[in-house]
Amino acid sequence: MKKLQSIKDEDNFNHQGAVELLVFNFLLILTILTIWLFKNHRFRFLHETGGAMVYGLIMGLILRYATAPSDFEIGNVYDCDKLKAGLPTLLVNITNQVYEYQYRREISQLNVNAHQGNAMLQKMTFDPSIFFNVLLPPIIFHAGYSLKKRHFFRNLGSILTYAFLGTAVSCIVIGLIMYGFVKALVHVNQLNSGDFHFTDCLLFGSFMSATDPVTVLAIFHELHVDTDLYTLLFGESVLNDAVAIVLTHSISIYSPKENPNIFDAAAFFQSVGNFLGIFAGSFSMGAAYAIVTHLTKFTKLCEFPMLETGLFFLLSWSAFLSAEAAGLTGIVAVLFCGVTQAHYTYNNLSEDSKMRTKQLFEFMNFLAENVIFCYMGLALFTFQNHIFNALFIFGAFVAVFVARACNIYPISFILNLGRKQKIPKNFQHMMMFSGLRGAIAFALAIRDTESQPKQMMFTTTLLIVFFTVWVLGGGTTSMLAANNLDKSTTKAESAWLFRIWYGFDHKYLKPILTHAGPPLTTTLPEWCNPVARLLTSPRAYEEQLKDEDGDFIVNNDELTLNYDASDHFPVPTQNRTESSHSAGKENIHDGDLGLGGCELHSKPASGQSEFASSA
Amino acid sequence: MKKLQSIKDEDNFNHQGAVELLVFNFLLILTILTIWLFKNHRFRFLHETGGAMVYGLIMGLILRYATAPSDFEIGNVYDCDKLKAGLPTLLVNITNQVYEYQYRREISQLNVNAHQGNAMLQKMTFDPSIFFNVLLPPIIFHAGYSLKKRHFFRNLGSILTYAFLGTAVSCIVIGLIMYGFVKALVHVNQLNSGDFHFTDCLLFGSFMSATDPVTVLAIFHELHVDTDLYTLLFGESVLNDAVAIVLTHSISIYSPKENPNIFDAAAFFQSVGNFLGIFAGSFSMGAAYAIVTHLTKFTKLCEFPMLETGLFFLLSWSAFLSAEAAGLTGIVAVLFCGVTQAHYTYNNLSEDSKMRTKQLFEFMNFLAENVIFCYMGLALFTFQNHIFNALFIFGAFVAVFVARACNIYPISFILNLGRKQKIPKNFQHMMMFSGLRGAIAFALAIRDTESQPKQMMFTTTLLIVFFTVWVLGGGTTSMLAANNLDKSTTKAESAWLFRIWYGFDHKYLKPILTHAGPPLTTTLPEWCNPVARLLTSPRAYEEQLKDEDGDFIVNNDELTLNYDASDHFPVPTQNRTESSHSAGKENIHDGDLGLGGCELHSKPASGQSEFASSA
């Protein structure tokens, strides 16, 4: 016993998960160096996320074949003598089945199914809850926080149509096609007939409908592609992530009373109700947290930028966690929290905090993204329960591309009936082409890999992510050139939805929530004056003297694409008094991942400096 | 089976650790708001870390007594019917003992001992490896990164003596006193004679010798206490953490051949050898990683501040992880990595990255620290295996204070024999008083809570941390006033160790590793010229024309305490060409936690702007 204790002590002082974290660090360092090399030589055929996946893949290969499993890790370990070597076992009793399980105190441990195999590989497999609670929120929040607001709201109708209708179409089309392939698999006896239900196919459809904005948009951004196309794509892919997640959630709780293959109207409508309820609930949760953060308007917290940044960070993360804890969808909550924070709270922050939060979220987004993509590469070799089925995979590829086409072209056609500024054909081709699958699809698929169909779906998802990121992501530059989109511009779309929203926002919401906008005393009816005076910031009156309303609309954001990316500090802090006046203008440099700069130095900082001089 | 699957799916979509993270978020938000309140009203009787502990304590109380354990969480769960409610169990077979174990996929799960008790409490208990691998490194790195270099090196001899000799004295004194109390406990039959060895007492001594710099120094910093006292204390408490950790490691692997109570000379010398080996190895590992980071000098990575920051962050963390993986002490590695990074790499970073890294590490330090202190508060009520033994606790309090006295007074006396600038009595009283125990002591104690003596030691450690942080931390302001230290200054200590080091560093290391310092061609012998020319940065020649050597020593760091804390942006980025010249000066604002600013606005930014104008 004493001996064992001392071995344990020693083990306590040896790594404990350090090796696994080190592997990830090493992969990330390699990725960063590669990105730098690529940037320096203007390579664009492989995006950083693609590079991260390549390194992950190689590392997975090494871990799989170079680390020979020890005695221990193969056979059944019931003999207590062997336990002295330091790897105690757990007998896992879950629903009458006794698995045998290797036990070490690690974050990445509890992959219950993995009752055989290399311990190192198991350790590299981390808990899906880490994806959902730690890695995804910063990515999604950053997407929301850096949304190009004016362009977004101008295209709101189209984006919502793509996101809701398009994702539903995509999900159903993939579900139907996959169901056909599943029937074929049953026919050739590669699958038992009871294993794979139509709901499973729909679930796969909902995973696969989440498109990834990262890769394509990074390239778009570097190439200064037309802002409206950028915003349409960005908005679509960000919102369809949210929709796809809620859809997955709704489908997974869809429980028809009898045969799961027969359509059950009651259960279906319940699912639709669930979908709407979850979406609305999550949206409200995100917005509510953002509004709580706005209350910083009434504090003098801006004198302590670190506290302000901390509060901002924690409240935004809490939006995610509260939604999850309440059984809603955290991703949707944190997305809308990000959008709302950028729109209102950002204006209340001190200059220092504006920069701190922007850089912090940028950095977390960068790290989280690359960790996920490295991990995807790793998972191909380290995940223990892959089921490769050629026909299923082929079917999935067909389904994904058909579904994307059924999503983009018909919906664009319908939208063009209503839009003054049509979405041209080359835009549509580009949107069709940009349907990469990434982190969200992967995270949804890895969330449940207990049963055989789920494992098959996970393996297929992984391969589709690889293909789309490497092939489609790699081909973006040439595709842009082929569609003559690399330098095009379109006229502004001034939608009725935008105008109504703008009026309401500018007159009421902004003055209540920020220091910007006209005083509430001028916009609210007279009998509201006592309340209005209470809610209006003293600064608003000063602003009023300087701002012309029409002027404000034009200057409302500086989100032109050709700003100088090196100019990270909108207003130098020495003129602090000046900058507090200009706080009413929103100066977020959206979409900038802090990676550019080098090739832009020579250009005049048009967008930014124009804005600064107008202050 | 199908039913269970759908329950599982639902469970997958419900929180998964979200609630636990939310609790921490909520505590941190409360803490931030409290800090803000305190700062605003200039309260200094309770430091933020003390506040975080109070909130943690309250939350722990609520979790303990307000959340009633369910059916499940009390009894033995062998009945498989009950499993449908969603909490599968694991039968844990470790060394012939079958514990029964509640299983959920959570980060915070694997507390094997907790075979009874409330599941929520268990979930709030997180894995010690998270402390060590994730929460401690940023705190320690930040300490190293923000060390006041000139003052540190000037007092290097004294600091090393306190850290090495002082910690050893403290550890042995605590060990001896505790051994006395343990004997007494055995005498009154509160303890079996075989349970508690002398090595366990020494282990407790080594935990308790790690003093925490955070609380006291934050107050010192705000009050502008004399820099030499600040540096002595800071250096001492940072280094003694490192020494205490290595000491703990060495003691835990001390394995005398026969009776563990009898002194075994061979085993003792082996432990001393281990100590020296581990310390030197960890030191080298940290320095090696820092030197790898220096190689960024030869890249043009500074054009991409995000990549640079990422690389810097990852390499520093890798220093920690590599040391842990190699069986060394990561904390020591990351500490010296931080010191070396601040001294050399910092000079090679772009202006943007300097700020980004500083703010990032500040922020991570802030969060990690508050999480740990919240967790300490929580642990008093949520940890399941506390053993409160009044005599042991009383003994520990006595031992800790006697040991601190035996450390500070005799060593100060010895040091004063050699120092030109004596360490005055009131300094010594203050150092005696500042021996708070914090995060490191707690992390060391929680690392192993398997056996009864370890649990007793853990409980006692927790109480000592509470007492010292609240009572001593709270009394710092009045203690400073009582010792007339709140505005005192001493003359500079110019030690021989400092002069030798300075010469070597300035002539050889700086030119090799950074863009600063005289060209190597002038400092190396002539036959080294080819190598020297290769290694010298072109900027060094330019610098040479401007810098007088003596001048450089004076301007070498701007680490005056009364700089303007709001001035976070040393050189605005618009004058990028200018700033690249001044990169040779080290402008770290050490110790600044980004919290101040408000009360300092009115003062002239003497340290900082003097420095800027000299560039």
Side-chain angles (χ1 to χ4, degrees):
Chain A
M1 189 65 199
K2 175 69 194 165
K3 182 96 183 248
L4 201 102
Q5 187 63 43
S6 88
I7 287 170
K8 263 195 108 39
D9 281 353
E10 195 159 355
D11 189 47
N12 273 345
F13 270 96
N14 281 336
H15 47 93
Q16 286 195 333
V19 178
E20 294 76 36
L21 285 171
L22 194 59
V23 169
F24 276 100
N25 269 15
F26 176 68
L27 288 176
L28 288 177
I29 290 168
L30 274 184
T31 307
I32 288 182
L33 290 176
T34 314
I35 298 170
W36 166 69
L37 205 73
F38 279 19
K39 296 243 168 213
N40 237 9
H41 294 83
R42 312 263 157 88
F43 285 157
R44 282 203 193 90
F45 65 88
L46 185 64
H47 183 63
E48 61 196 74
T49 50
M53 274 198 323
V54 173
Y55 287 122
L57 210 65
I58 295 169
M59 182 57 83
L61 206 67
I62 295 171
L63 289 177
R64 177 100 192 192
Y65 295 106
T67 62
S70 73
D71 265 8
F72 248 139
E73 291 153 356
I74 301 168
N76 291 350
V77 189
Y78 289 113
D79 184 358
C80 286
D81 273 0
K82 287 191 185 170
L83 289 172
K84 284 179 191 156
L87 274 173
T89 48
L90 301 184
L91 283 175
V92 181
N93 178 357
I94 294 183
T95 60
N96 295 332
Q97 291 169 277
V98 176
Y99 293 102
E100 159 203 349
Y101 181 56
Q102 304 214 339
Y103 163 72
R104 299 205 74 184
R105 294 194 185 176
E106 236 104 66
I107 307 168
S108 49
Q109 249 347 12
L110 285 169
N111 187 348
V112 178
N113 264 354
H115 50 106
Q116 279 187 338
N118 188 321
M120 183 68 191
L121 295 188
Q122 279 181 41
K123 267 178 274 163
M124 297 309 301
T125 312
F126 58 100
D127 192 318
S129 76
I130 294 193
F131 270 110
F132 268 82
N133 293 336
V134 181
L135 294 175
L136 279 189
I139 297 181
I140 303 293
F141 182 85
H142 183 73
Y145 200 58
S146 59
L147 208 67
K148 282 169 190 303
K149 286 163 290 162
R150 199 175 63 176
H151 293 271
F152 178 74
F153 286 115
R154 221 162 54 190
N155 291 291
L156 192 62
S158 307
I159 290 171
L160 288 179
T161 314
Y162 280 123
F164 282 87
L165 188 59
T167 308
V169 166
S170 162
C171 173
I172 291 168
V173 171
I174 295 177
L176 285 172
I177 295 178
M178 290 321 291
Y179 195 57
F181 275 93
V182 165
K183 284 278 173 227
L185 279 172
V186 172
H187 192 71
V188 297
N189 284 325
Q190 287 191 21
L191 208 65
N192 295 328
S193 72
D195 281 0
F196 221 118
H197 303 291
F198 183 59
T199 45
D200 290 324
C201 294
L202 274 181
L203 207 60
F204 185 69
S206 65
F207 296 172
M208 287 284 98
S209 300
T211 57
D212 189 55
V214 177
T215 316
V216 176
L217 292 183
I219 297 167
F220 274 37
H221 189 252
E222 253 175 59
L223 290 178
H224 310 319
V225 172
D226 173 71
T227 317
D228 271 297
L229 175 55
Y230 182 97
T231 312
L232 262 185
L233 241 177
F234 191 58
E236 190 251 344
S237 42
V238 166
L239 279 188
N240 85 2
D241 285 351
V243 174
I245 289 171
V246 180
L247 214 53
T248 308
H249 192 163
S250 310
I251 293 172
S252 75
I253 57 178
Y254 167 83
S255 50
K257 290 210 179 64
E258 289 162 31
N259 187 338
N261 279 318
I262 291 170
F263 181 77
D264 179 336
F268 173 77
F269 283 111
Q270 209 193 333
S271 272
V272 172
N274 277 339
F275 175 86
L276 295 175
I278 294 168
F279 201 94
S282 309
F283 177 90
S284 318
M285 183 75 87
Y289 267 96
I291 285 168
V292 169
T293 320
H294 300 151
L295 299 182
T296 51
K297 173 186 172 184
F298 298 106
T299 65
K300 282 185 289 176
L301 205 59
C302 57
E303 284 162 4
F304 310 101
M306 163 85 100
L307 297 183
E308 208 178 24
T309 309
L311 201 64
F312 192 86
F313 167 79
L314 290 169
L315 280 170
S316 305
W317 196 14
S318 295
F320 174 88
L321 294 170
S322 303
E324 287 287 307
L328 301 169
T329 304
I331 297 291
V332 176
V334 84
L335 173 65
F336 289 104
C337 184
V339 172
T340 323
Q341 301 276 41
H343 199 56
Y344 302 114
T345 317
Y346 191 79
N347 294 323
N348 299 338
L349 295 177
S350 64
E351 285 307 310
D352 195 0
S353 295
K354 281 185 191 181
M355 210 177 45
R356 275 171 182 252
T357 51
K358 231 185 80 57
Q359 291 184 349
L360 180 71
F361 289 123
E362 238 174 59
F363 184 70
M364 291 199 317
N365 170 60
F366 174 78
L367 275 193
E369 210 169 83
N370 283 300
V371 168
I372 291 185
F373 278 86
C374 277
Y375 185 69
M376 282 197 249
L378 268 176
L380 188 64
F381 290 107
T382 59
F383 183 71
Q384 308 275 313
N385 298 301
H386 278 302
I387 299 180
F388 292 92
N389 183 309
L391 193 58
F392 190 84
I393 293 166
F394 174 73
F397 271 86
V398 171
V400 163
F401 289 100
V402 172
R404 185 77 186 163
C406 294
N407 170 352
I408 298 298
Y409 295 116
I411 291 179
S412 302
F413 177 76
I414 295 168
L415 286 174
N416 276 345
L417 297 179
R419 278 176 77 102
K420 264 181 264 168
Q421 178 68 37
K422 309 292 177 205
I423 302 165
K425 272 280 169 229
N426 57 356
F427 266 47
Q428 296 178 28
H429 297 322
M430 202 58 224
M431 287 186 81
M432 166 75 204
F433 186 80
S434 308
L436 308 201
R437 269 66 177 179
I440 303 277
F442 177 78
L444 285 172
I446 207 178
R447 216 167 190 182
D448 182 4
T449 55
E450 302 281 309
S451 63
Q452 223 189 335
K454 299 279 160 65
Q455 289 166 8
M456 216 153 106
M457 276 150 61
F458 174 66
T459 306
T460 310
T461 304
L462 203 55
L463 293 178
I464 288 181
V465 171
F466 285 154
F467 178 82
T468 55
V469 169
W470 283 334
V471 177
L472 300 191
T476 308
T477 318
S478 18
M479 196 67 190
L480 279 170
N483 282 304
N484 300 316
L485 284 168
D486 28 1
K487 296 283 172 204
S488 73
T489 46
T490 54
K491 268 181 283 173
E493 171 80 7
S494 182
W496 56 271
L497 204 62
F498 169 67
R499 285 194 303 271
I500 294 171
W501 163 251
Y502 176 78
F504 178 72
D505 182 48
H506 181 61
K507 278 194 189 148
Y508 306 109
L509 293 182
K510 284 226 166 177
I512 292 174
L513 297 169
T514 74
H515 299 297
L520 280 172
T521 40
T522 62
T523 59
L524 284 177
E526 210 155 299
W527 57 270
C528 297
N529 262 353
V531 182
R533 229 170 282 138
L534 195 75
L535 289 170
T536 304
S537 159
R539 273 202 233 154
Y541 296 103
E542 301 167 32
E543 296 269 318
Q544 196 192 14
L545 301 173
K546 293 184 299 173
D547 276 340
E548 289 294 303
D549 228 357
D551 211 53
F552 191 73
I553 295 181
V554 176
N555 280 324
N556 194 13
D557 54 40
E558 85 302 9
L559 308 171
T560 46
L561 270 166
N562 53 344
Y563 66 86
D564 185 340
S566 75
D567 195 344
H568 270 294
F569 316 106
V571 186
T573 34
Q574 58 262 42
N575 49 359
R576 204 166 262 269
T577 45
E578 250 183 76
S579 67
S580 71
H581 288 297
S582 68
K585 316 284 190 294
E586 296 125 274
N587 39 5
I588 294 184
H589 308 230
D590 342 28
D592 171 29
L593 295 165
L595 297 168
C598 168
E599 67 272 43
L600 297 168
H601 271 301
S602 52
K603 289 190 190 166
S606 61
Q608 186 54 34
S609 46
E610 246 173 68
F611 161 69
S613 63
S614 80
Chain B
M1 189 65 198
K2 173 67 196 166
K3 183 95 185 248
L4 202 101
Q5 187 63 43
S6 89
I7 288 169
K8 262 196 111 37
D9 281 351
E10 195 160 355
D11 190 46
N12 273 345
F13 270 97
N14 281 336
H15 49 92
Q16 286 196 332
V19 178
E20 294 76 36
L21 285 170
L22 194 59
V23 169
F24 276 99
N25 268 17
F26 176 69
L27 289 176
L28 289 176
I29 291 168
L30 274 183
T31 307
I32 288 182
L33 290 177
T34 314
I35 299 170
W36 166 71
L37 204 73
F38 280 18
K39 294 245 166 209
N40 236 10
H41 294 83
R42 309 266 158 86
F43 285 156
R44 283 207 192 85
F45 64 88
L46 184 64
H47 183 63
E48 59 196 73
T49 50
M53 274 198 322
V54 173
Y55 286 123
L57 211 65
I58 295 170
M59 181 59 82
L61 206 66
I62 294 171
L63 288 178
R64 176 99 191 190
Y65 295 106
T67 62
S70 72
D71 264 9
F72 247 139
E73 290 151 357
I74 301 165
N76 291 351
V77 189
Y78 289 113
D79 184 357
C80 287
D81 272 0
K82 288 194 186 168
L83 290 171
K84 284 181 191 155
L87 274 173
T89 49
L90 301 184
L91 282 175
V92 181
N93 178 357
I94 294 182
T95 61
N96 294 333
Q97 289 168 277
V98 176
Y99 292 102
E100 158 205 347
Y101 182 56
Q102 303 213 337
Y103 162 73
R104 298 203 74 182
R105 294 193 184 175
E106 236 104 67
I107 306 168
S108 50
Q109 249 349 12
L110 286 169
N111 188 349
V112 179
N113 265 357
H115 49 106
Q116 281 186 336
N118 187 319
M120 183 66 191
L121 295 187
Q122 278 181 41
K123 268 178 274 164
M124 296 309 300
T125 313
F126 59 99
D127 191 317
S129 76
I130 294 193
F131 271 110
F132 268 82
N133 293 334
V134 180
L135 293 175
L136 279 190
I139 297 180
I140 303 294
F141 182 86
H142 184 72
Y145 200 59
S146 59
L147 209 67
K148 286 173 187 299
K149 285 162 292 161
R150 198 175 65 178
H151 293 271
F152 177 75
F153 286 115
R154 219 159 58 186
N155 291 294
L156 191 62
S158 307
I159 290 171
L160 288 179
T161 315
Y162 281 121
F164 281 87
L165 189 58
T167 308
V169 167
S170 162
C171 172
I172 291 165
V173 170
I174 294 177
L176 286 171
I177 296 177
M178 288 321 291
Y179 196 59
F181 276 94
V182 165
K183 284 275 174 229
L185 278 172
V186 172
H187 193 71
V188 298
N189 284 326
Q190 287 191 19
L191 207 65
N192 296 328
S193 72
D195 280 0
F196 222 117
H197 304 291
F198 183 59
T199 45
D200 291 323
C201 295
L202 275 181
L203 207 61
F204 185 68
S206 66
F207 296 172
M208 287 285 98
S209 300
T211 56
D212 189 57
V214 176
T215 315
V216 177
L217 292 184
I219 297 167
F220 274 38
H221 189 253
E222 254 175 59
L223 291 178
H224 309 319
V225 172
D226 173 71
T227 317
D228 270 298
L229 174 55
Y230 183 96
T231 313
L232 262 184
L233 241 178
F234 191 58
E236 190 250 345
S237 43
V238 166
L239 278 188
N240 86 1
D241 285 351
V243 174
I245 288 171
V246 180
L247 212 53
T248 308
H249 190 163
S250 310
I251 293 170
S252 74
I253 58 177
Y254 167 84
S255 49
K257 290 210 181 61
E258 288 160 32
N259 187 337
N261 279 318
I262 293 169
F263 181 77
D264 178 335
F268 173 77
F269 283 111
Q270 209 193 334
S271 273
V272 172
N274 277 338
F275 176 86
L276 295 175
I278 293 168
F279 202 94
S282 308
F283 177 89
S284 318
M285 184 74 86
Y289 266 94
I291 284 167
V292 169
T293 320
H294 300 152
L295 298 182
T296 51
K297 174 187 170 185
F298 297 108
T299 65
K300 282 184 289 175
L301 205 58
C302 56
E303 285 162 3
F304 309 101
M306 163 83 101
L307 297 183
E308 208 177 26
T309 309
L311 200 65
F312 192 86
F313 168 78
L314 290 169
L315 280 170
S316 305
W317 196 15
S318 295
F320 174 89
L321 295 170
S322 303
E324 286 288 305
L328 301 167
T329 303
I331 296 293
V332 177
V334 84
L335 172 64
F336 289 105
C337 184
V339 173
T340 322
Q341 300 277 39
H343 200 56
Y344 302 115
T345 317
Y346 191 78
N347 295 321
N348 300 336
L349 294 179
S350 63
E351 284 308 308
D352 195 1
S353 296
K354 281 185 191 179
M355 209 177 48
R356 275 171 182 253
T357 50
K358 231 184 80 58
Q359 292 185 347
L360 180 71
F361 289 123
E362 238 175 60
F363 184 69
M364 292 198 318
N365 170 62
F366 174 77
L367 275 193
E369 211 170 83
N370 283 301
V371 168
I372 291 184
F373 279 87
C374 276
Y375 186 69
M376 282 197 249
L378 267 177
L380 188 63
F381 290 106
T382 60
F383 183 71
Q384 307 277 314
N385 299 299
H386 279 301
I387 299 181
F388 291 93
N389 183 309
L391 192 59
F392 190 84
I393 292 167
F394 173 73
F397 271 86
V398 172
V400 163
F401 289 100
V402 171
R404 184 76 186 166
C406 294
N407 169 354
I408 298 299
Y409 296 114
I411 291 180
S412 302
F413 176 77
I414 297 169
L415 285 174
N416 277 342
L417 297 179
R419 280 176 76 102
K420 262 179 269 171
Q421 179 67 38
K422 310 290 180 208
I423 301 165
K425 272 279 171 233
N426 55 359
F427 267 47
Q428 296 177 28
H429 297 322
M430 202 58 223
M431 286 185 79
M432 166 75 204
F433 185 80
S434 309
L436 308 201
R437 270 63 176 180
I440 303 277
F442 177 78
L444 285 172
I446 206 178
R447 216 169 188 179
D448 183 3
T449 54
E450 302 280 310
S451 64
Q452 224 189 334
K454 300 279 159 66
Q455 288 165 9
M456 216 153 108
M457 276 150 60
F458 174 67
T459 306
T460 310
T461 305
L462 203 54
L463 293 177
I464 289 182
V465 171
F466 285 154
F467 178 82
T468 54
V469 169
W470 284 334
V471 178
L472 301 190
T476 307
T477 318
S478 21
M479 195 68 190
L480 279 170
N483 281 304
N484 299 316
L485 283 169
D486 31 358
K487 298 282 172 201
S488 73
T489 46
T490 54
K491 267 183 283 174
E493 171 79 6
S494 182
W496 56 272
L497 204 62
F498 170 66
R499 285 194 303 271
I500 293 172
W501 162 253
Y502 176 78
F504 178 71
D505 182 47
H506 181 63
K507 277 192 190 151
Y508 307 110
L509 291 182
K510 284 227 167 176
I512 292 173
L513 297 170
T514 74
H515 299 296
L520 281 171
T521 42
T522 61
T523 57
L524 284 176
E526 208 156 300
W527 57 269
C528 296
N529 262 352
V531 182
R533 230 169 283 141
L534 194 73
L535 288 171
T536 304
S537 158
R539 274 201 233 155
Y541 295 104
E542 302 167 30
E543 297 269 319
Q544 194 192 14
L545 300 173
K546 295 183 297 174
D547 277 338
E548 287 296 299
D549 229 354
D551 210 53
F552 192 75
I553 295 179
V554 177
N555 279 324
N556 195 15
D557 54 41
E558 84 304 5
L559 309 170
T560 46
L561 270 167
N562 54 344
Y563 65 86
D564 184 341
S566 76
D567 194 341
H568 269 296
F569 317 105
V571 185
T573 33
Q574 59 262 42
N575 49 0
R576 204 166 261 271
T577 46
E578 250 181 76
S579 67
S580 70
H581 288 297
S582 68
K585 314 286 190 294
E586 295 125 275
N587 39 5
I588 294 186
H589 307 232
D590 343 27
D592 170 29
L593 295 168
L595 297 169
C598 168
E599 67 270 44
L600 297 167
H601 270 300
S602 52
K603 290 189 188 167
S606 61
Q608 186 53 35
S609 47
E610 246 174 69
F611 162 69
S613 63
S614 79

